[in-house]
Amino acid sequence: MAHSQPSSPEISPQDPRALRKALRGSATYFAKGFEEHKDQVQSDLQTTYKSPLVEQIRAQSYRYQQGEITIRLAKAFGFCWGVERAVEYAYEARRRFPDRQLWITNEIIHNPLVNQHLEAMGIRFVGKGPDGKKDFSQIQPQDVVLWPAFGASVSEMEFFRSQGNEIVDTTCPWVSRVWNQVDKHRAAQFTSVIHGKYNHEETLATSSFAQKYLVVLNLEEAEWVARYILEGGDAADFQQRFSKATSPGFDPDQDLERIGIANQTTMLEGETRAIAKLFETTMLRKYGPQQLDDHFMSFNTICNATQERQDAMFELIEDPLDVMVVIGGFNSSNTTHLQEIALEKGLPSFHIDGPDCIQPGNRIRHKPLHQDITVTEGWLPNGPVQIGITSGASTPDRVVEEVIRRIFALREPSELPF
């Protein structure tokens, strides 16, 4: 029997706060993993994703040289706590429900190796139908459903709760923290202005908690909105410009009178702060200091791990590097922003998703910023070369190790001494 997708009219929208409370009180909802399987899973993760080579390089001041190639690692990179927690919960769920069909409503994290491992364990990923929406028709009430680190939308939560599925929630607590802020916006009848990518899984989930929302991609878009708030403009032009990034029925002449700031946790930290400050100044100019609190709300929802990795990237590119390699899923937002930092410095930088991108003959398969995947010949300069390496929050150290080995093999095919 086919089941409705979460966008179906059969699903009655609930107050998000009440829905989350109902879920937490349910015996079929698990958000803390499964303690009885933690030791074995930790051993599995250590074997599968950790890297003795990377630990050695960390211990050597994040630097390793062999021949004419010197590797410089960022001081913070790779798996963050939230990602590690999500992967751990997925492995524990497989052990807790060995004979049940497990589904994940999206990639659990943006890393192809991790997602391949989960598929090999018999965990299935929800695909999309012809209309581009997630197709839940194959998920039966007796199946176990995992929500990924990015979270699930309110309609998805209600769908699986009403269907009676057991739910394993791996949502990153930093994402939940943003939802709590958006809950406050909703309760105060404020519009949530979200710094993020309107079609990213995390932003889709976050916006579903808002009564009214507007998603701005960057400071340029935020400045355009700020001018509209102060000077007015053509509402039809506004609605066309942000047609995919606003809540249904969004009216910029009414819905921008009271705004609260939220963000996708993997955006550039400095840009999120700049956007928040811009809108605070805008509302101050429009309504004055006495009425500011009636028209503007802001709260720091930047993920600590995202900020640490960006700070480490800024520090790394101050070194005299010849080239930068940024490792992470091609659809990983936080990895893309690490790439932006290198490019803004004017440093040749290559975003790759794994070791197979380092190809024989000094070729590299990579994704230039805002472009399609391509292959570049002769990417590694001749002679002595300093290579900076970092990785996104969804990239295991084992992947970083394999990339490093492939790079050294371009010059010296012999094995590394450790």
Side-chain angles (χ1 to χ4, degrees):
M1 176 181 176
H3 299 284
S4 302
Q5 295 188 40
S7 56
S8 164
E10 296 176 27
I11 300 172
S12 302
Q14 290 194 16
D15 173 69
R17 187 185 297 270
L19 176 58
R20 292 171 71 190
K21 184 177 180 181
L23 283 167
R24 288 193 291 267
S26 170
T28 59
Y29 172 79
F30 306 93
K32 295 183 178 180
F34 303 99
E35 190 67 34
E36 67 272 23
H37 299 295
K38 285 191 181 299
D39 289 345
Q40 183 57 55
V41 165
Q42 284 296 323
S43 177
D44 292 344
L45 296 180
Q46 183 77 24
T47 301
T48 306
Y49 298 121
K50 300 296 183 181
S51 163
L53 170 59
V54 169
E55 288 305 313
Q56 286 279 353
I57 298 176
R58 280 194 177 105
Q60 295 171 194
S61 301
Y62 299 87
R63 182 181 184 277
Y64 181 76
Q65 180 176 359
Q66 179 172 296
E68 293 186 319
I69 295 179
T70 301
I71 296 293
R72 301 295 302 272
L73 290 180
K75 292 182 180 177
F77 64 91
F79 265 10
C80 67
W81 173 78
V83 163
E84 198 160 7
R85 172 181 176 273
V87 176
E88 178 183 328
Y89 283 11
Y91 273 64
E92 290 172 7
R94 178 72 284 174
R95 288 181 172 273
R96 173 65 178 265
F97 304 105
D99 302 320
R100 303 271 290 279
Q101 179 59 62
L102 271 61
W103 293 85
I104 300 178
T105 58
N106 212 303
E107 292 184 332
I108 195 162
I109 58 173
H110 286 321
N111 182 266
L113 176 66
V114 174
N115 291 313
Q116 288 165 15
H117 285 171
L118 294 178
E119 284 186 306
M121 292 162 58
I123 300 176
R124 298 176 66 181
F125 291 80
V126 173
K128 293 184 178 180
D131 59 359
K133 296 179 180 179
K134 294 178 187 178
D135 180 10
F136 296 142
S137 61
Q138 296 184 63
I139 302 178
Q140 302 300 312
Q142 67 270 21
D143 294 343
V144 179
V145 177
L146 281 74
W147 294 341
F150 315 107
S153 70
V154 171
S155 60
E156 290 174 359
M157 292 181 182
E158 172 58 18
F159 176 79
F160 293 117
R161 188 192 70 84
S162 63
Q163 182 167 267
N165 295 100
E166 291 190 87
I167 297 164
V168 179
D169 185 358
T170 80
T171 304
C172 174
W174 280 97
V175 175
S176 297
R177 193 166 178 245
V178 179
W179 294 352
N180 292 337
Q181 182 66 8
V182 173
D183 270 341
K184 294 177 183 177
H185 299 167
R186 184 187 185 101
Q189 297 185 319
F190 275 49
T191 293
S192 293
V193 177
I194 304 168
H195 177 212
K197 301 172 182 177
Y198 72 85
N199 59 349
H200 189 278
E201 302 94 320
E202 182 188 326
T203 297
L204 290 171
T206 296
S207 62
S208 75
F209 283 83
Q211 186 172 24
K212 294 284 185 179
Y213 68 83
L214 165 67
V215 181
V216 294
L217 176 62
N218 50 33
L219 186 57
E220 180 184 355
E221 286 193 355
E223 289 170 342
W224 196 95
V225 175
R227 284 193 298 272
Y228 191 98
I229 292 173
L230 291 173
E231 303 169 8
D234 185 342
D237 182 32
F238 186 105
Q239 289 161 345
Q240 182 177 12
R241 183 183 183 101
F242 293 100
S243 61
K244 296 180 179 180
T246 52
S247 48
F250 191 90
D251 181 351
D253 294 325
Q254 294 184 13
D255 297 332
L256 292 174
E257 291 181 356
R258 296 155 62 86
I259 62 174
I261 306 300
N263 67 287
Q264 181 182 316
T265 59
T266 54
M267 302 301 282
L268 277 171
E269 180 265 344
E271 189 168 41
T272 294
R273 292 188 187 280
I275 288 171
K277 188 64 179 177
L278 169 68
F279 281 117
E280 181 182 25
T281 302
T282 299
M283 303 309 268
L284 185 64
R285 289 176 60 189
K286 187 172 179 68
Y287 298 104
Q290 299 302 321
Q291 297 186 56
L292 180 62
D293 290 346
D294 294 329
H295 295 274
F296 179 76
M297 297 174 65
S298 183
F299 182 76
N300 179 13
T301 53
I302 300 294
C303 166
N304 279 352
T306 297
Q307 184 172 340
E308 287 171 358
R309 280 148 185 74
Q310 291 174 5
D311 289 346
M313 184 65 163
F314 280 115
E315 180 181 351
L316 178 60
I317 61 176
E318 291 303 314
D319 291 338
L321 302 175
D322 298 299
V323 66
M324 187 76 209
V325 175
V326 180
I327 311 166
F330 289 137
N331 55 347
S332 166
S333 177
N334 76 88
T335 306
T336 299
H337 292 308
L338 295 175
Q339 171 80 331
E340 286 180 352
I341 292 170
L343 294 176
E344 286 174 3
K345 177 75 171 179
L347 183 63
S349 185
F350 299 91
H351 176 185
I352 66 175
D353 72 346
D356 289 345
C357 289
I358 308 296
Q359 300 176 354
N362 200 12
R363 303 167 76 241
I364 188 168
R365 179 176 176 270
H366 64 106
K367 189 177 186 304
L369 194 63
H370 309 313
Q371 297 179 41
D372 294 332
I373 298 168
T374 188
V375 175
T376 295
E377 305 274 353
W379 70 278
L380 191 64
N382 294 323
V385 60
Q386 298 266 345
I387 305 174
I389 293 182
T390 191
S391 61
S394 297
T395 304
D397 283 359
R398 182 59 60 87
V399 172
V400 177
E401 172 182 329
E402 292 303 320
V403 168
I404 292 172
R405 291 186 181 278
R406 292 283 184 102
I407 291 173
F408 278 120
L410 292 175
R411 295 280 183 86
E412 299 181 22
S414 60
E415 288 291 320
L416 293 178
F418 49 80

